[in-house]
C-alpha cells in the first residue's frame, strides 16, 4: 500500500534577521557595509515520516520542537527549504480554526467565504450549508456579524466547516481545546466518525494521554529532529520517561 | 500548466467570494450602497469641471465627458494598483494558516476595481446623455482599451504586492509615482498643451496615455482604435503581466517568512 503522506528528508530554514531590515534604504546601507546578517534557524532538520491510509498519527514534542512547522509543510502552507512532501488526497486543515473569517461579515457570509478558502465549490457549500448550521447550532445568529460572537461560537462554525467534507486527511493541531465541554464531546464524536469512514488523521497534542489513547503511530520531535518514530505506545512511554 | 489552471478553477469560488466580501464591506451601512460608485465619480466630475472651467480655460469640446472619461480610467488605475499592493500583506493571517494560491489576492483586487469601473461607466453614460454627446458605433470598441488596461493594472498589482512584502517603502513611493502619472497623463488638460515641449515624446511612453486616448477616441471622437493603438495597448499589458507574474512566482514561496 502506498503511504498517503510521505515527508522525505524535509528541512525548513528560517532567517532570523539579527537586525530587522524593513526598508530599502536600510537594506542598501547594510548591504554595502556588508553587515546584512541573518541568523539561520532550522525549524526542521532532515525529517522523514510516512503515514499510511487509515493511520491516526500523533506528533509529540515540546513547544518549538517543530510540530506545527511540520504540519504546515504537509498542509502546503510552507514550502520546505530542502526535501519534499507528497500528499495523496484532500486535506482538511484544522491548524488554526477560523483562518479567513472576516469579523465584519455575518456568520452566513463567513461560512461561504471560509468554505471557499478551503477550496470548496459553491454547489458543495449550498448543499452542505444546513449541515454546517445544524452542527454549530447557531440557527438564530446567522445574520449577525461575527465580531459580536464569542470565541467559542466562532470555533464551532470553523470546526463545522472544516469537517463538513469527508477529507482523506485531517490535520488537527490542538483543536479539541476549544469550546465548552459538550461541544468538545461533539467534536470528538465527529472525528471518530471521520476515522471510521477511513480518514487519516495527523494529530498534535501536548496531552500524552490523549495521543496514547487515540493514535496508533507517533513521532517524537525535538529541536526539529526526529528523536523517535513508531508505535504510539512505545513512543509515548519513552517520551513520558524523559519528561 | 494544466494543474495550475485546475487549481485556479478550483479556487474561482474563493475569488468571487472575496469580491463579494469587498463589495459588502465597502458599502456596508451606507443608504445608497453600490449607487455610490456612480454617484461618486459624478460628484467628483462636477467639482473638477467647476474648478477647471473657472481657473483654466482649455479649448476642449464637451469638457465634462472628456474629464470624466479620463478620470474614471485613472481612478481605476489608482484604486486597483493600490489595493493590490497591500492585498497579500493584509491577507497574512490567512496565508499563514491555510494553503491558498497567493496570486488570488492581488487578482481579486484588480477584478474588484474593474467591476467598480464598470459600474462607474453608468455615470459616464449619464453625463454623455445630459451633455448631448453624440453616440457613435465605436463606443462598443471602448472595451478594447479597458480590457488591456485591466491586464496592465493586474500586472502592476502583482508586481507591487510582491515587492511590498520585502520593502514596505514601495507603498509610500507608489503614491508619489501615481501622482506624477496623474499629471503626466492628459486627464484634465488637452493633449495639445504638450506641443512644443519634451512631453510630446516623453508623454507617449506613458502607457496610461495610450489607454486613455484610445478610450476617448472610441467614446468622444467616434473613431475605432487604430492598429497601432491596439498593438501598444496590448504590448504594455503583456509586458506588465509577464514581469509582474514572474516576480510574483519567483518570490511567493518566501512571502510567508516576511509577512
Amino acid at each position: 500500500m502506498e503511504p498517503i503522506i510521505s515527508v522525505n528528508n524535509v528541512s525548513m530554514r528560517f532567517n532570523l534577521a539579527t537586525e530587522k531590515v524593513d526598508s530599502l534604504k536600510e537594506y542598501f546601507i547594510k548591504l554595502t557595509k556588508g553587515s546584512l546578517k541573518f541568523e539561520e534557524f532550522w525549524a526542521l532538520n532532515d525529517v522523514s515520516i510516512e503515514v499510511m491510509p487509515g493511520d491516526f498519527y500523533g506528533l509529540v514534542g515540546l513547544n518549538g520542537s517543530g510540530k506545527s512547522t511540520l504540519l504546515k509543510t504537509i498542509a502546503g502552507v510552507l514550502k520546505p527549504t530542502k526535501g519534499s512532501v507528497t500528499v495523496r488526497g484532500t486535506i482538511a486543515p484544522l491548524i488554526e480554526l477560523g483562518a479567513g473569517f472576516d469579523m465584519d461579515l455575518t456568520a452566513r457570509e463567513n461560512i461561504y467565504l471560509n468554505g471557499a478558502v478551503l477550496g470548496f465549490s459553491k454547489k458543495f457549500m449550498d448543499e452542505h450549508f444546513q449541515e454546517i448550521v445544524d452542527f454549530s447550532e447557531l440557527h438564530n445568529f446567522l445574520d449577525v456579524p461575527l465580531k459580536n460572537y464569542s470565541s467559542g461560537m466562532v470555533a464551532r462554525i470553523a470546526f463545522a466547516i472544516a469537517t463538513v467534507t469527508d477529507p482523506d486527511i485531517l490535520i488537527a493541531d490542538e483543536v479539541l481545546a476549544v469550546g465548552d465541554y459538550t461541544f468538545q464531546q461533539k467534536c470528538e464524536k465527529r472525528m471518530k466518525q471521520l476515522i471510521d469512514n477511513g480518514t487519516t488523521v495527523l494529530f498534535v497534542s501536548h496531552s500524552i494521554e490523549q495521543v496514547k489513547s487515540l493514535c496508533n503511530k507517533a513521532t517524537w520531535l525535538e529541536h526539529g529532529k526526529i528523536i523517535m518514530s513508531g508505535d504510539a505506545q512505545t513512543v509515548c512511554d519513552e517520551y513520558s520517561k524523559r519528561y | 500548466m494544466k494543474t495550475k489552471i485546475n487549481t485556479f478553477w478550483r479556487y474561482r469560488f474563493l475569488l468571487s467570494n472575496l469580491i463579494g466580501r469587498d463589495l459588502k464591506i465597502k458599502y456596508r451601512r451606507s443608504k445608497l450602497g453600490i449607487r455610490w460608485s456612480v454617484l461618486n465619480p459624478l460628484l467628483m466630475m462636477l467639482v473638477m469641471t467647476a474648478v477647471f472651467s473657472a481657473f483654466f480655460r482649455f479649448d476642449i469640446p464637451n469638457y465634462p465627458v472628456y474629464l470624466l472619461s479620463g478620470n474614471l480610467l485613472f481612478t481605476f488605475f489608482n484604486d486597483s494598483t493600490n489595493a493590490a499592493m497591500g492585498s497579500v500583506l493584509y491577507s497574512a493571517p490567512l496565508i499563514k494558516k491555510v494553503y491558498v494560491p497567493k496570486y488570488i489576492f492581488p487578482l481579486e483586487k484588480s477584478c474588484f476595481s474593474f467591476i467598480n469601473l464598470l459600474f462607474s461607466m453608468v455615470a459616464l453614460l449619464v453625463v454623455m446623455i445630459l451633455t448631448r454627446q453624440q453616440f457613435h458605433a465605436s463606443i462598443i470598441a471602448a472595451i478594447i482599451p479597458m480590457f488591456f488596461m485591466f491586464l496592465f493594472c493586474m500586472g502592476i498589482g502583482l508586481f507591487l504586492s510582491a515587492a511590498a512584502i520585502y520593502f514596505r517603502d514601495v507603498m509610500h513611493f507608489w503614491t508619489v509615482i501615481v501622482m506624477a502619472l496623474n499629471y503626466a497623463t492628459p486627464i484634465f488638460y488637452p493633449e495639445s498643451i504638450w506641443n512644443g515641449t519634451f512631453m510630446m515624446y516623453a508623454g507617449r511612453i506613458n502607457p496610461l496615455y495610450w489607454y486613455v486616448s484610445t478610450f476617448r477616441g472610441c467614446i468622444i471622437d467616434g473613431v475605432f482604435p487604430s492598429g497601432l493603438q491596439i498593438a501598444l495597448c496590448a504590448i504594455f499589458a503583456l509586458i506588465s503581466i509577464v514581469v509582474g507574474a514572474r516576480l510574483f512566482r519567483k518570490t511567493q514561496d518566501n512571502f510567508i517568512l516576511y509577512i
Side-chain angles (χ1 to χ4, degrees):
Chain A
M1 199 158 40
E2 271 196 319
I4 193 160
I5 303 171
S6 14
V7 175
N8 302 314
N9 308 91
V10 162
S11 296
M12 186 73 217
R13 183 187 61 208
F14 290 113
N15 286 332
L16 300 175
T18 38
E19 292 163 279
K20 192 123 177 84
V21 188
D22 238 359
S23 83
L24 208 55
K25 194 177 121 201
E26 266 180 67
Y27 182 84
F28 281 115
I29 292 173
K30 294 254 161 66
L31 194 69
T32 46
K33 278 168 138 183
S35 64
L36 196 67
K37 283 193 208 97
F38 291 113
E39 201 176 298
E40 285 189 354
F41 168 72
W42 292 89
L44 290 177
N45 209 333
D46 201 18
V47 169
S48 303
I49 62 170
E50 276 193 349
V51 181
M52 302 308 272
D55 272 351
F56 201 122
Y57 204 102
L59 289 175
V60 295
L62 301 176
N63 283 337
S65 57
K67 303 185 300 282
S68 293
T69 309
L70 182 57
L71 288 190
K72 282 182 178 176
T73 54
I74 293 170
V77 178
L78 287 170
K79 199 162 195 173
T81 319
K82 282 188 216 156
S84 66
V85 176
T86 319
V87 176
R88 297 177 187 85
T90 55
I91 300 183
L94 291 181
I95 294 189
E96 271 169 85
L97 287 172
F101 277 166
D102 194 306
M103 290 297 156
D104 281 324
L105 295 180
T106 66
R108 186 191 301 278
E109 290 159 352
N110 264 306
I111 288 176
Y112 277 92
L113 180 61
N114 200 246
V117 164
L118 296 175
F120 301 151
S121 70
K122 172 150 172 36
K123 190 165 151 267
F124 181 88
M125 287 310 285
D126 285 337
E127 284 164 6
H128 292 82
F129 184 78
Q130 201 49 47
E131 200 180 311
I132 293 169
V133 174
D134 289 342
F135 189 88
S136 52
E137 303 164 22
L138 295 167
H139 303 89
N140 299 328
F141 306 100
L142 273 179
D143 295 304
V144 176
L146 221 59
K147 59 185 168 198
N148 300 340
Y149 274 47
S150 71
S151 55
M153 283 159 95
V154 174
R156 283 187 193 193
I157 312 180
F159 187 90
I161 300 170
T163 56
V164 70
T165 67
D166 277 329
D168 299 324
I169 301 156
L170 188 71
I171 296 186
D173 190 355
E174 321 243 18
V175 273
L176 298 180
V178 294
D180 53 26
Y181 180 73
T182 41
F183 191 69
Q184 280 189 28
Q185 296 284 304
K186 210 168 163 181
C187 291
E188 269 186 51
K189 213 175 114 198
R190 173 76 187 132
M191 281 177 68
K192 288 235 169 70
Q193 194 186 331
L194 286 176
I195 294 154
D196 291 340
N197 293 345
T199 298
T200 308
V201 182
L202 258 179
F203 183 67
V204 166
S205 176
H206 282 291
S207 154
I208 204 77
E209 291 309 316
Q210 222 176 5
V211 174
K212 220 192 250 183
S213 68
L214 288 170
C215 302
N216 62 334
K217 278 193 214 153
T219 286
W220 170 10
L221 282 171
E222 210 169 290
H223 299 301
K225 288 192 188 112
I226 292 183
I227 301 291
M228 204 180 161
S229 231
D231 176 53
Q233 205 69 31
T234 342
V235 173
C236 288
D237 287 343
E238 282 300 311
Y239 185 79
S240 309
K241 264 186 229 158
R242 177 78 160 268
Y243 297 104
Chain B
M1 192 63 198
K2 194 155 171 273
T3 53
K4 287 234 171 70
I5 293 167
N6 277 341
T7 325
F8 176 71
W9 190 240
R10 190 164 157 239
Y11 280 95
R12 71 194 186 282
F13 181 49
L14 175 61
L15 189 65
S16 64
N17 249 288
L18 289 172
I19 295 173
R21 176 195 68 175
D22 278 0
L23 277 172
K24 276 174 204 143
I25 287 176
K26 186 169 181 191
Y27 296 114
R28 172 140 296 179
R29 300 239 172 98
S30 79
K31 282 264 181 310
L32 294 175
I34 190 89
R35 271 158 287 206
W36 271 114
S37 29
V38 179
L39 209 54
N40 198 304
L42 271 182
L43 295 175
M44 296 266 273
M45 185 224 52
L46 280 181
V47 175
M48 286 173 80
T49 312
V51 170
F52 289 117
S53 4
F55 297 132
F56 312 97
R57 291 288 162 88
F58 296 124
D59 188 20
I60 301 173
N62 202 350
Y63 188 63
V65 172
Y66 181 87
L67 177 66
L68 188 60
S69 54
N71 208 34
L72 281 179
L73 289 193
F74 195 84
T75 310
F76 164 63
F77 172 72
N78 183 27
D79 287 355
S80 63
T81 52
N82 270 305
M85 182 162 54
S87 60
V88 179
L89 271 178
Y90 296 133
S91 313
L94 188 60
I95 292 171
K96 282 181 182 168
K97 288 166 199 160
V98 226
Y99 169 78
V100 266
K102 292 169 197 63
Y103 59 79
I104 250 185
F105 300 105
L107 190 66
E108 183 265 322
K109 293 296 178 194
S110 306
C111 294
F112 174 63
S113 303
F114 192 68
I115 289 169
N116 256 318
L117 174 68
L118 292 179
F119 279 122
S120 311
M121 284 298 153
V122 177
L124 186 61
L125 284 179
V126 169
V127 174
M128 285 174 76
I129 293 165
L130 288 179
T131 57
R132 306 227 166 80
Q133 169 71 43
Q134 201 193 331
F135 281 82
H136 308 277
S138 61
I139 202 168
I140 304 158
I143 197 71
I144 298 172
M146 280 168 73
F147 171 72
F148 284 125
M149 189 177 178
F150 168 61
L151 294 182
F152 175 74
C153 293
M154 200 153 88
I156 303 232
L158 282 170
F159 185 93
L160 290 174
S161 63
I165 287 172
Y166 297 98
F167 300 109
R168 310 286 144 96
D169 313 53
V170 174
M171 304 178 100
H172 304 287
F173 194 50
W174 185 244
T175 49
V176 182
I177 303 228
V178 169
M179 194 189 70
L181 280 171
N182 192 13
Y183 289 114
T185 315
I187 307 275
F188 56 86
Y189 59 81
E191 203 183 313
S192 56
I193 68 165
W194 284 354
N195 288 343
T197 67
F198 76 101
M199 278 304 282
M200 270 180 82
Y201 312 102
R204 285 178 173 72
I205 307 168
N206 174 7
L208 295 178
Y209 163 77
W210 291 97
Y211 295 118
V212 169
S213 61
T214 311
F215 182 74
R216 276 186 184 139
C218 300
I219 301 273
I220 302 172
D221 308 332
V223 289
F224 282 90
S226 68
L228 175 74
Q229 281 176 321
I230 295 181
L232 281 171
C233 286
I235 287 169
F236 283 126
L238 192 71
I239 293 174
S240 160
I241 285 278
V242 168
V243 173
R246 283 191 76 171
L247 178 81
F248 197 90
R249 219 182 61 189
K250 273 179 93 172
T251 53
Q252 63 175 349
D253 288 336
N254 287 327
F255 283 178
I256 193 163
L257 307 175
Y258 291 86
I259 51 182

